[in-house]
Amino acid sequence: MKALIKITLKNGVLDPQGKAIEGTLNSLGFSGVNDVRQGKLIEVDLDETERQAAEDMVERMCEELLANTVIEDYSFELLA
Amino acid sequence: MIRACVIVFPGSNCDRDVKVALEAVTGCPVTMVWHQEDEVPASDIIVLPGGFSYGDYLRCGAMAARSPIMSDVVKKAKAGVPVLGICNGFQVLLETGLLPGALMRNASLNFVCKDIWLKCERVSTSFTQCYRKDQIIRIPIAHHDGNYFADKETLDRIEGENQVVFRYCDRDGNVSEAANPNGSQRNIAGICNESGRIVGMMPHPERLFERALGGTDGRRIFESVVVGVASAMVEGGLPQAQP
């Protein structure tokens, strides 16, 4: 089973990299581009075949290492 | 005898600098401890040095905070052994949760390497007791991710508990936006835990600890260690060395 884990900065946490990307998009002529936020996508291949067990494991991975919950939120999906 | 340990991670690059500074000021040999070890030898202080542990992969300090040696560092820190985290070491302390908050990419997005001015707001810590309260000192910073962040509630709490050790300021001591080199909330450059035994700071005191380096404002960090260990001896034994 594969897990796709998305890590994003929490609302209210300034994202200077997102701002810089937004500025460059604007300078390239993309108008009406607002609130660009940058995050991470992490792919994990799991031996686990049972869905609930996989969810629990990925949840723990996020809490223990993959996300810093002081500044980041995470979400994930499991692909069979 | 002062027993100091410096933890070395793959990618640490200020470990030997801080060893030189500690040995010069304390006159005692410093033990270097590799991150794969399970246990830190009995120590009066532990230093987490600057650098780019694990290549800053995932987040600065994230991997180092979970390396084998850190569970013993956390255990000893919680038992009262003074721990100093400098730059990447500060990032590691935050990632372990020993200190609150996080360090994010500098607001300018630039790597900033220059001398800055600091106001010493808390001098009742294991590493700042030789400074005067509100003393203005010059120490270099060199980082890409030193933008201190915590939510408002946490910021209010650490200010209320007097846990802000250093703030960025100008040479006259004004804590202003212009003097903030990286966008840190409330100009915070260094914080400590409630007891003042765990201190994390972005600036590098080991880079200005003797005249040959161009200044000595960082030296009192290491002198504070000597005073701390000496006074613990006078009080009878070394409670912080026996977790």
Side-chain angles (χ1 to χ4, degrees):
Chain A
M1 192 176 301
K2 188 166 265 194
L4 287 183
I5 302 152
K6 194 171 83 175
I7 295 163
T8 50
L9 286 173
K10 285 188 170 173
N11 282 336
V13 176
L14 285 176
D15 179 5
Q17 293 177 94
K19 275 269 166 258
I21 294 167
E22 186 179 316
T24 303
L25 286 172
N26 286 328
S27 72
L28 285 172
F30 293 98
S31 59
V33 175
N34 305 304
D35 294 330
V36 176
R37 311 277 285 168
Q38 181 183 284
K40 296 185 188 102
L41 182 70
I42 299 175
E43 260 185 50
V44 183
D45 209 15
L46 303 168
D47 289 340
E48 181 60 60
T49 51
E50 211 262 305
R51 201 169 180 85
Q52 186 60 49
E55 270 185 24
D56 292 348
M57 184 157 72
V58 175
E59 176 92 28
R60 279 195 292 121
M61 286 180 192
C62 291
E63 289 287 333
E64 288 177 29
L65 175 66
L66 300 180
N68 178 343
T69 53
V70 174
I71 47 172
E72 293 169 330
D73 286 328
Y74 61 86
S75 61
F76 59 87
E77 56 178 317
L78 296 174
L79 309 174
Chain B
M1 181 69 184
I2 294 170
R3 299 164 301 172
C5 284
V6 174
I7 311 295
V8 184
F9 301 101
S12 293
N13 66 6
C14 302
D15 45 331
R16 279 173 288 178
D17 299 35
V18 81
K19 173 184 159 80
V20 168
L22 276 166
E23 289 184 343
V25 176
T26 67
C28 300
V30 168
T31 306
M32 309 301 272
V33 182
W34 184 235
H35 72 122
Q36 295 285 21
E37 302 288 327
D38 297 323
E39 207 179 323
V40 184
S43 309
D44 300 310
I45 67 146
I46 298 171
V47 178
L48 303 174
F52 301 85
S53 58
Y54 293 83
D56 281 348
Y57 294 165
L58 191 64
R59 297 178 306 275
C60 301
M63 312 292 216
R66 280 108 183 144
S67 64
I69 194 66
M70 284 307 296
S71 46
D72 195 48
V73 172
V74 169
K75 192 172 118 196
K76 287 188 160 67
K78 285 183 173 165
V81 177
V83 178
L84 173 65
I86 300 168
C87 197
N88 188 223
F90 184 18
Q91 294 163 340
V92 174
L93 283 175
L94 297 175
E95 281 282 343
T96 60
L98 283 171
L99 293 175
L103 287 156
M104 303 184 50
R105 183 53 45 100
N106 292 344
S108 66
L109 299 178
N110 293 320
F111 188 98
V112 181
C113 184
K114 63 177 184 182
D115 287 2
I116 45 85
W117 298 94
L118 294 174
K119 189 175 198 176
C120 306
E121 291 204 356
R122 174 156 170 180
V123 293
S124 60
T125 82
S126 299
F127 301 98
T128 56
Q129 57 184 315
C130 289
Y131 292 104
R132 288 189 319 275
K133 169 122 176 76
D134 295 333
Q135 188 177 343
I136 310 305
I137 59 172
R138 178 176 62 97
I139 293 191
I141 53 169
H143 61 247
H144 210 163
D145 298 81
N147 180 353
Y148 183 78
F149 177 87
D151 58 34
K152 186 180 175 299
E153 194 180 297
T154 306
L155 290 169
D156 289 345
R157 194 187 74 234
I158 62 176
E159 286 190 331
E161 297 288 329
N162 192 23
Q163 284 175 249
V164 176
V165 180
F166 296 112
R167 271 188 232 263
Y168 300 109
C169 64
D170 63 22
R171 65 185 312 151
D172 299 317
N174 301 305
V175 175
S176 63
E177 204 176 317
N180 187 338
N182 52 27
S184 286
Q185 304 263 306
R186 305 188 191 181
N187 283 46
I188 290 172
I191 59 171
C192 63
N193 68 338
E194 291 87 343
S195 73
R197 284 170 180 250
I198 306 173
V199 173
M201 60 191 294
M202 285 313 295
H204 284 275
E206 76 279 14
R207 295 193 186 179
L208 274 189
F209 86 93
E210 65 177 1
R211 280 215 186 112
L213 295 172
T216 58
D217 281 4
R219 190 177 184 89
R220 290 189 186 280
I221 295 277
F222 308 104
E223 290 173 348
S224 297
V225 169
V226 177
V227 170
V229 174
S231 53
M233 282 172 175
V234 171
E235 284 159 23
L238 287 167
Q240 79 274 38
Q242 305 294 337

